[in-house]
């Protein structure tokens, strides 16, 4: 179940809609903020640890990324925005209320631009530019990527050439051997981080003994995920460890870079 849907159900107290789970691992802690903002149901979630991480990147079709100097050159958020209107690369986004990558990208742009009236004007301009190609979900954005090299030069098709995504998502997409692979652009001034918090939930309709057993089982699951075999399993799927260390599979041939990118601090909940 998508993280946004889980957060919405938890905030509304409608856990039956998501199967009344004992544990949730959303892609970002920002969703926990959505739940905790609801005074009535905010205490349903208890976070114990991050089990993995993945930087938010600008996923760009690889031919365009290489033309811009990838992998040796990484643009800043400001450079990306300054060149947006003149660039043939068309940036799309998933709905920021349903995509942590989009939400954190706007937070990253805000952090890069700074504060003050001029920064606010620039932020509004950036959002208006990026919002010209909005899809409901990340999967819909992926469906708008060019499916052949010939489509890269056919603007009338309405294809998207770049969008905010997770590094792990770029890795995963490229494992399907697409005709037009993606490359991860790591903005030089820093990337927000998806942190995959291991979150225990207060289940509905269970006894105190069942709740205790669930907590014990959740603790064993967390221990396994943070152990050597758990870390290897997550690394094999393109995730970094919680401190940002990359596994062997994060390499340019998969469209990503192993070096730990500069990390932007989590955005303030009010900013979100």
């Amino acid at each position: 179940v998508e993280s946004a849907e889980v957060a919405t159900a938890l905030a509304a107290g409608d856990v039956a809609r998501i199967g009344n789970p004992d544990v949730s691992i959303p892609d970002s802690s920002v969703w926990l903020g959505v739940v905790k903002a609801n005074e009535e149901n905010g205490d349903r979630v208890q976070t114990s640890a991050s089990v993995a991480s993945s930087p938010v990147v600008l996923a760009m079709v690889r031919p365009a990324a290489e033309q811009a100097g990838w992998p040796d050159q990484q643009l800043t958020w400001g450079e990306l925005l300054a060149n947006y209107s003149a660039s043939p690369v068309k940036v799309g986004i998933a709905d920021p209320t349903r995509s942590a990558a989009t939400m954190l990208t706007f937070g990253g742009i805000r952090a890069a631009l700074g504060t003050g009236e001029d920064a606010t004007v620039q932020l509004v301009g950036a959002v208006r530019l990026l919002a010209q190609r909005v899809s409901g979900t990340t999967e819909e954005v992926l469906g708008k990527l060019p499916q052949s090299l010939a489509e890269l030069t056919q603007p009338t098709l309405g294809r998207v050439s770049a969008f905010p995504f997770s590094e792990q998502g770029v890795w995963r997409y490229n494992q399907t051997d697409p005709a037009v692979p993606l490359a991860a652009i790591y903005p030089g001034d820093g990337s927000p981080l998806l942190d995959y918090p291991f979150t225990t939930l207060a289940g509905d309709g269970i006894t105190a003994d069942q709740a205790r057993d669930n907590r014990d089982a959740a603790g064993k699951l967390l221990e396994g995920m943070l152990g050597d075999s758990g870390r290897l399993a997550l690394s094999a799927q393109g995730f970094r460890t919680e401190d940002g260390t990359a596994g062997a599979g994060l390499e340019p041939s998969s469209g990503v870079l192993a070096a730990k990118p500069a990390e932007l601090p989590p955005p303030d909940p009010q900013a979100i």
Side-chain angles (χ1 to χ4, degrees), residues 200-244:
T200 54
L201 308 175
D204 281 354
I206 61 176
T207 66
D209 287 343
Q210 288 173 322
R212 185 190 63 245
D213 290 344
N214 288 345
R215 286 193 299 271
D216 290 344
K220 292 176 181 177
L221 174 59
L222 176 60
E223 183 180 349
M225 294 188 78
L226 294 178
D228 290 343
S229 59
R231 290 179 185 276
L232 285 172
L234 289 166
S235 175
Q237 294 301 316
F239 292 98
R240 293 174 182 257
T241 61
E242 70 277 7
D243 66 357

Side-chain angles (χ1 to χ4, degrees), residues 39-128:
E39 293 183 3
E40 183 177 349
N41 297 303
D43 60 353
R44 301 186 72 93
V45 299
Q46 296 292 327
T47 307
S48 50
S50 169
V51 297
S53 68
S54 190
V56 174
V57 300
L58 184 68
M60 186 180 292
V61 290
R62 186 156 179 166
E66 290 175 339
Q67 190 171 1
W70 189 91
D72 298 320
Q73 184 175 350
Q74 303 295 328
L75 302 174
T76 66
W77 288 111
E79 290 169 338
L80 288 167
L81 294 172
N83 298 328
Y84 177 85
S85 58
S87 173
V89 175
K90 300 309 177 186
V91 179
I93 60 171
D95 181 349
T97 67
R98 300 171 66 181
S99 164
T102 306
M103 196 186 306
L104 290 170
T105 292
F106 288 149
I109 292 172
R110 162 56 94 188
L113 294 176
T115 58
E117 185 175 343
D118 288 345
T120 299
V121 171
Q122 291 177 358
L123 177 64
V124 171
V127 172
R128 291 183 65 181

Side-chain angles (χ1 to χ4, degrees), residues 127-159:
V127 172
R128 291 183 65 181
L129 282 171
L130 296 176
Q132 292 176 15
R133 294 176 178 81
V134 181
S135 299
T137 65
T138 300
E139 290 303 316
E140 290 179 22
V141 181
L142 290 171
K144 295 179 180 178
L145 292 174
Q147 302 302 304
S148 69
L149 291 174
E151 289 186 359
L152 287 172
T153 58
Q154 299 178 35
T156 56
L157 294 177
R159 293 297 190 185

Side-chain angles (χ1 to χ4, degrees), residues 161-187:
S161 304
F163 68 105
F165 202 19
S166 69
E167 177 188 69
Q168 191 271 343
V170 171
W171 179 91
R172 186 177 69 243
Y173 182 81
N174 287 341
Q175 299 308 300
T176 66
D177 196 25
V180 185
L182 293 172
I185 304 291
Y186 305 81

